[in-house]
Amino acid sequence: MVNPFDFKTALLAKHAQHVVLIHFPIGLFLTGVVFDVASLWTKTSVRRNALTTAATLNIVTAALFVLPTVLTGVAAWQWQLEGQKLKGLLLLHLVLGCISALLICVVAWTRRRLPRYRLPFEILTALILGLTAHVGGFLSGVNLPG
């Protein structure tokens, strides 16, 4: 049995870093989208600006967490499977993860540049991100049937 306070074992586990880090870009990005949607329904400009700023901060921070998350995912693949060729759900998760990472970064980059198309693009990214997380849940054993 592993001691839950043994930080060395927890930090050096072959896939633990990815499992921990992945929650930051997911949570930050989805929270940013919620703030953006809320800003559309707000009547006062002060609240609208505050919600838009909060959305921007969340989405940009999510984009900053994308690189370490992708790197730890690739490292987990190399350590756990020793670089074997991916197939099935693992391959699907890798492809969706790369697409999600790219879309999060593009959304963060285009927030001020394309404000008119911002929300539909954010919602599309959120849907792909959710699908990626769902597939990752099956891989981790969280979403097992039954």
Side-chain angles (χ1 to χ4, degrees):
M1 185 158 162
V2 176
N3 180 354
F5 298 105
D6 184 6
F7 293 111
K8 182 179 178 185
T9 303
L11 291 175
L12 298 177
K14 291 187 174 185
H15 68 288
Q17 297 83 6
H18 181 69
V19 174
V20 171
L21 282 179
I22 193 60
H23 294 90
F24 290 103
I26 292 172
L28 288 164
F29 185 81
L30 294 178
T31 301
V33 173
V34 168
F35 283 148
D36 251 351
V37 170
S39 74
L40 295 176
W41 291 339
T42 304
K43 296 183 191 274
T44 63
S45 64
V46 173
R47 286 186 184 158
R48 188 177 314 113
N49 289 341
L51 287 168
T52 302
T53 300
T56 300
L57 288 173
N58 274 274
I59 290 172
V60 169
T61 306
L64 293 174
F65 271 99
V66 161
L67 182 62
T69 302
V70 170
L71 291 177
T72 56
V74 171
W77 162 37
Q78 294 299 314
W79 284 339
Q80 292 283 85
L81 301 175
E82 298 172 353
Q84 291 179 18
K85 184 178 179 185
L86 295 179
K87 58 185 176 183
L89 284 180
L90 278 172
L91 180 60
L92 178 62
H93 184 63
L94 176 69
V95 169
L96 288 172
C98 290
I99 291 169
S100 296
L102 179 66
L103 287 174
I104 288 171
C105 291
V106 169
V107 166
W109 187 72
T110 59
R111 282 197 54 77
R112 303 271 186 216
R113 292 164 184 83
L114 299 170
R116 185 176 189 182
Y117 302 104
R118 180 176 72 209
L119 198 60
F121 199 48
E122 287 176 6
I123 291 171
L124 172 69
T125 303
L127 291 172
I128 294 172
L129 183 61
L131 180 61
T132 305
H134 185 67
V135 172
F138 277 104
L139 293 173
S140 70
V142 174
N143 294 342
L144 291 177

